[in-house]
Amino acid sequence: MAELTKLERVKILCDPELKSEVIDQIVNNLSGVVVSHQGKYLWLGTDELTAIERFTRLEDGGFGKHERFEFKKFIDDFDEDKGEVDVEGIDYCDGFLWIIGSHSSKRKKVKIARDKFQVERKELKQIERQENRYLLARIPVNEAGDLEANSPQRAWLKRHGSNNSLTKALAKDEYLDIPQIIAGEDNNSLAGKEFYFYLPSKENGLDIEGLAVRGNKVFIGLRGPVLRGIAILLEIEVEAGSSNQLNLKAIGDNGREYKRHFLDLDGLGIRELCLEGDSGDLLILAGPTMDRDGAHSLFRLKQPLTLKDNSLSSQKNEQLEYLGDIPHGKKRDRAEGLTLYGGAKSILVVYDSPAEERLIAGERDTVVGVDADVFPYCDQEKSEGENFS
């Protein structure tokens, strides 16, 4: 396994007027990135907050002039009290910013401490489903780089408490085998009369990470489940309905509202997706499904828009190409987001749990930003003529 060679670091500077705890949450929990307007703007998603972060390119090549766009201002009936969105994928296509939440449940973590020798009562036992995680939305962006909060073109999949039209469709899937529970009235722990239960994320439960859009076609990566070492890439097609609603079209076999693509990513799950300019190929960042250190590998899936339902892609059948590994540290620098960068000759990568030397300190030694990395991923000849959005 060959590591990709880092070309440069790119500074991302947060608004210095923000509270230090908010900046810490942003820089330590990055989970999605995309550039727009010919590289002028860089957008970041995090897995702990309820806003999208936008940065503007500076003269020195970094990004600053930080602006925040809160979901409650452009998603109708968005309630911040119903948890984080856990943004795990963002993309920009044809004037729209697309955003997807993890669609996952989570188990309460164990707090590890030097003087702690027992698991507390709710640790590992409590499983939570936060309604805001079940979001797939597209929001128009104007030439000034602002999200159009009042545009009639804003749209999202219809949500139903702790599920949406996508999870309803997946609940019937023969491979995912997600049981349907209609017991909300009899069990106070269930949010609503009708929803579908999944294993928690990072335990091979349903966990979306990665979003790539071409027109109305949307690719959705699953970090989990990984089935006997095989990862799953979902493909959907949406159309605008009434009342800011996106509807799923029947594109799969037997009228299913999605296609399944099975990928042999050396046992890894999908962590990020990025369409490769005009080529139509799909870059896939793959990493461990569980919460552990391990390889973060970059693959190229050839011509995904031509794949039939239930396709199988591997390096053996040459539908998948291994491009190299992105370096990582011990419980640090876990690659989470990538986007085409520098005229599509390279990729810019952002990290969850960044190493301390990646954090940018301000005048009072408080964190004010974070460094992203730029890596090459293809040869010069292939990239000629391709541009990023």
Side-chain angles (χ1 to χ4, degrees):
M1 299 293 183
E3 286 192 349
L4 297 175
T5 302
K6 182 172 63 181
L7 297 176
E8 61 175 314
R9 281 193 167 177
V10 174
K11 290 184 178 181
I12 302 173
L13 300 173
C14 294
D15 179 0
E17 299 300 318
L18 286 176
K19 294 180 178 179
S20 60
E21 55 264 32
V22 175
I23 294 178
D24 286 344
Q25 284 184 306
I26 293 172
V27 301
N28 286 295
N29 297 282
L30 297 179
S31 55
V33 61
V34 71
V35 294
S36 70
H37 297 67
Q38 289 73 51
K40 180 177 180 180
Y41 300 116
L42 181 141
W43 304 81
L44 292 176
T46 72
D47 55 18
E48 295 290 339
L49 301 170
T50 55
I52 286 292
E53 320 295 332
R54 191 202 70 195
F55 302 80
T56 302
R57 181 180 289 277
L58 305 175
E59 291 184 1
D60 64 2
F63 289 90
K65 299 180 182 178
H66 181 194
E67 295 285 344
R68 310 194 74 213
F69 297 88
E70 297 175 334
F71 285 104
K72 65 182 180 181
K73 294 182 179 179
F74 54 86
I75 302 292
D76 295 348
D77 300 323
F78 186 88
D79 186 348
E80 291 185 341
D81 291 333
K82 294 182 178 178
E84 64 198 24
V85 175
D86 193 18
V87 175
E88 291 293 352
I90 56 177
D91 201 3
Y92 178 81
C93 180
D94 298 334
F96 289 94
L97 188 71
W98 292 74
I99 304 156
I100 196 166
S102 68
H103 290 61
S104 67
S105 58
K106 65 177 182 178
R107 189 184 298 273
K108 187 172 180 62
K109 292 181 179 180
V110 173
K111 183 179 180 181
I112 304 297
R114 188 179 186 88
D115 58 350
K116 182 178 178 180
F117 298 94
Q118 286 187 313
V119 174
E120 295 177 0
R121 185 171 63 88
K122 291 185 178 180
E123 291 178 338
L124 296 181
K125 185 185 295 183
Q126 182 178 355
I127 297 175
E128 185 179 8
R129 295 171 55 84
Q130 296 179 330
E131 292 186 18
N132 287 337
R133 291 179 171 221
Y134 297 85
L135 178 68
L136 171 60
R138 69 175 191 192
I139 309 297
V141 185
N142 62 27
E143 285 301 313
D146 295 323
L147 297 181
E148 295 281 8
N150 299 313
S151 170
Q153 293 183 300
R154 294 174 301 133
W156 43 87
L157 290 184
K158 187 176 181 180
R159 298 190 293 165
H160 316 268
S162 295
N163 63 37
N164 61 14
S165 52
L166 176 60
T167 55
K168 275 196 167 185
L170 291 175
K172 306 169 188 176
D173 190 274
E174 59 189 300
Y175 288 92
L176 299 181
D177 192 25
I178 303 168
Q180 181 178 359
I181 297 177
I182 308 177
E185 293 179 325
D186 301 323
N187 187 334
N188 292 330
S189 68
L190 302 182
K193 297 181 180 179
E194 184 183 50
F195 80 99
Y196 307 97
F197 176 79
Y198 310 97
L199 283 171
S201 62
K202 303 175 183 63
E203 298 180 30
N204 213 32
L206 182 74
D207 192 3
I208 288 175
E209 291 203 12
L211 177 73
V213 182
R214 179 64 56 86
N216 286 326
K217 293 273 192 177
V218 181
F219 290 101
I220 297 170
L222 298 189
R223 175 174 177 169
V226 172
L227 306 180
R228 198 61 184 264
I230 301 297
I232 302 172
L233 174 70
L234 300 178
E235 178 186 344
I236 63 173
E237 185 173 351
V238 298
E239 57 185 358
S242 59
S243 303
N244 303 109
Q245 187 171 314
L246 288 176
N247 296 324
L248 295 175
K249 297 180 68 174
I251 63 171
D253 293 344
N254 301 316
R256 206 172 349 99
E257 293 175 319
Y258 59 94
K259 291 181 182 179
R260 292 177 296 241
H261 303 300
F262 297 99
L263 312 178
D264 182 2
L265 302 173
D266 296 334
L268 302 173
I270 298 171
R271 304 296 290 271
E272 177 65 298
L273 302 172
C274 180
L275 280 162
E276 253 194 286
D278 297 331
S279 75
D281 293 342
L282 182 68
L283 295 178
I284 299 174
L285 175 63
T289 298
M290 314 300 261
D291 187 13
R292 59 180 296 272
D293 292 327
H296 285 69
S297 302
L298 188 65
F299 294 86
R300 175 185 287 121
L301 176 64
K302 299 175 183 177
Q303 301 299 304
L305 288 167
T306 67
L307 296 177
K308 295 181 180 180
D309 199 6
N310 291 325
S311 66
L312 174 63
S313 297
S314 68
Q315 296 171 71
K316 285 188 175 181
N317 66 19
E318 299 184 349
Q319 188 65 36
L320 271 173
E321 179 184 359
Y322 167 74
L323 302 176
D325 281 3
I326 294 175
H328 65 88
K330 183 175 176 58
K331 297 186 178 182
R332 289 289 181 268
D333 277 354
R334 294 173 172 175
E336 281 284 320
L338 66 85
T339 185
L340 299 183
Y341 189 75
K345 300 181 180 70
S346 53
I347 53 172
L348 181 140
V349 176
V350 296
Y351 300 86
D352 185 26
S353 303
E356 186 173 352
E357 60 267 22
R358 189 177 295 283
L359 301 176
I360 302 171
E363 294 179 355
R364 300 178 181 178
D365 290 330
T366 57
V367 173
V368 296
V370 66
D371 284 330
D373 286 336
V374 178
F375 296 93
Y377 76 93
C378 64
D379 58 40
Q380 183 80 15
E381 292 182 4
K382 178 175 174 56
S383 63
E384 285 298 328
E386 294 183 353
N387 296 298
F388 53 85
S389 298

